[in-house]
Amino acid sequence: MDLKSDILLEALPKHIAIIMDGNGRWAKQKGMLRAFGHENGTKSVRQVVEASAELGVENLTLYAFSTENWKRPKLEVKTLMKLLISSLKKEIKTLQDNNIKLSAIGSLNLLPSKVYKELSEVMEATKDNARMTLTLALSYGSREELLNTVKEISNKVKNNIISPEAIDESIINKHLYTQNLPDVDLLIRTSGEQRISNFLLWQIAYAELYFTHTLWPDFTKQDLYKAIIEYQKRERRFGKTSEQLS
Ligand code: IPE
Ligand code: IPE
Ligand code: MG
């Protein structure tokens, strides 16, 4: 059954963020190496990117590699970086065909130069695309992002560019890596884990959280539709009472 028709297009989340988890367990279940799970995970990436763009979701942010993931075995890190390069090369066409702009957040300076180069090229090539912004969180950690924000703002205070009294939420927003993105409306995590793992701590303050046991390589367009339908059933009160909303 196609769940797409159950989605209210006038009430789509403006920003969906996904913690793509479970590649390793998926591979293990099949008696394969973890790398096999990561390879198959890229198919799910294409599915959610296409499905989001087709629906009209304006912002999709995918957690692809965390600051903590650098602690994984060297070979796995290497495999992931290689996969990133080949996916960027392969998917540029999907991005162009679907009018999608690629963006990235994280300590991008820590990425191997080949990854950084490929990423920069795809970002440059797609910078005028306007249907959807796809943001990859790479070497991303929310605490690192917040530390960086504090440092940048402190420097501006020191140099009399901003007065301490003027610091408000919008100034913090402007100094985060996600500066051009709206707050997250819907946060999805696959694989059954129910934690945030240092992802977008500031930006998910009022996000609706959706956890599914589906492992990332099994996640399809229909699974995304299911999450959006569930999101649309929730009442987002933002501190108010239900009566105030109606
Ligand atoms: C998510 O899958 C991909 C990355 C974190 C890069 P995992 O590799 O974390 O898979 P599990 O959690 O071990 O199953
Ligand atoms: C979170 O997944 C990071 C990404 C999906 C890129 P992990 O698998 O690394 O998270 P933890 O360590 O189990 O919390
Ligand atoms: Mg994991």
Side-chain angles (χ1 to χ4, degrees):
M1 198 181 75
D2 191 359
L3 296 170
K4 194 176 177 185
S5 53
D6 292 343
I7 296 176
L8 305 168
L9 294 177
E10 63 281 11
L12 284 174
K14 282 198 166 50
H15 186 180
I16 299 179
I18 308 181
I19 303 175
M20 311 183 288
D21 198 14
N23 293 351
R25 278 164 282 170
W26 184 89
K28 196 172 176 190
Q29 280 179 4
K30 297 193 152 39
M32 304 293 280
L33 297 172
R34 294 178 61 83
F36 185 64
H38 296 314
E39 280 162 25
N40 280 274
T42 62
K43 294 181 189 157
S44 301
V45 171
R46 181 187 285 183
Q47 294 257 315
V48 297
V49 169
E50 278 180 3
S52 303
E54 286 160 5
L55 282 171
V57 172
E58 288 165 19
N59 300 284
L60 175 67
T61 300
L62 302 177
Y63 203 6
F65 194 85
S66 71
T67 46
E68 289 72 27
N69 288 149
W70 289 114
K71 295 180 210 156
R72 291 194 178 191
K74 271 205 179 72
L75 185 63
E76 178 163 349
V77 172
K78 208 171 156 187
T79 304
L80 284 166
M81 293 300 146
K82 270 197 188 159
L83 203 56
L84 202 57
I85 298 174
S86 58
S87 303
L88 285 164
K89 281 197 205 296
K90 207 161 86 191
E91 298 306 329
I92 184 155
K93 192 175 176 316
T94 314
L95 298 177
Q96 298 294 33
D97 289 349
N98 289 284
N99 193 13
I100 299 167
K101 172 179 163 174
L102 184 77
S103 169
I105 53 172
S107 304
L108 305 181
N109 57 315
L110 296 182
L111 295 170
S113 56
K114 273 189 188 167
V115 176
Y116 186 80
K117 187 173 162 273
E118 199 58 47
L119 187 65
S120 309
E121 280 176 20
V122 180
M123 289 196 296
E124 174 62 27
T126 60
K127 71 176 190 310
D128 296 323
N129 292 352
R131 188 184 189 189
M132 180 176 91
T133 298
L134 167 65
T135 303
L136 296 182
L138 289 170
S139 188
Y140 175 88
S142 190
R143 288 190 167 178
E144 191 282 322
E145 177 183 40
L146 290 166
L147 277 173
N148 183 64
T149 300
V150 170
K151 285 179 193 163
E152 281 190 9
I153 297 175
S154 307
N155 267 320
K156 289 188 181 168
V157 168
K158 193 174 108 191
N159 296 319
N160 292 316
I161 298 169
I162 305 176
S163 80
E165 295 72 33
I167 299 172
D168 59 8
E169 290 190 12
S170 82
I171 290 199
I172 293 184
N173 277 326
K174 277 182 209 135
H175 289 83
L176 293 167
Y177 298 142
T178 52
Q179 53 192 230
N180 299 315
L181 299 173
D183 279 352
V184 175
D185 293 312
L186 170 62
L187 174 73
I188 298 170
R189 182 169 189 150
T190 58
S191 90
E193 307 300 350
Q194 301 193 2
R195 54 176 173 265
I196 302 300
S197 302
N198 202 11
F199 192 40
L200 303 173
L201 300 177
W202 171 277
Q203 299 88 337
I204 60 165
Y206 252 112
E208 293 298 329
L209 309 182
Y210 179 88
F211 298 105
T212 169
H213 280 93
T214 302
L215 301 172
W216 180 249
D218 287 330
F219 199 86
T220 62
K221 288 188 180 185
Q222 295 300 321
D223 291 294
L224 182 75
Y225 300 154
K226 220 168 123 185
I228 295 174
I229 291 163
E230 161 73 25
Y231 163 87
Q232 292 186 331
K233 287 186 187 146
R234 308 241 183 121
E235 182 178 56
R236 302 187 77 196
R237 291 190 288 278
F238 297 100
K240 295 182 182 171
T241 66
S242 194
E243 291 69 28
Q244 281 178 297
L245 297 174
S246 54

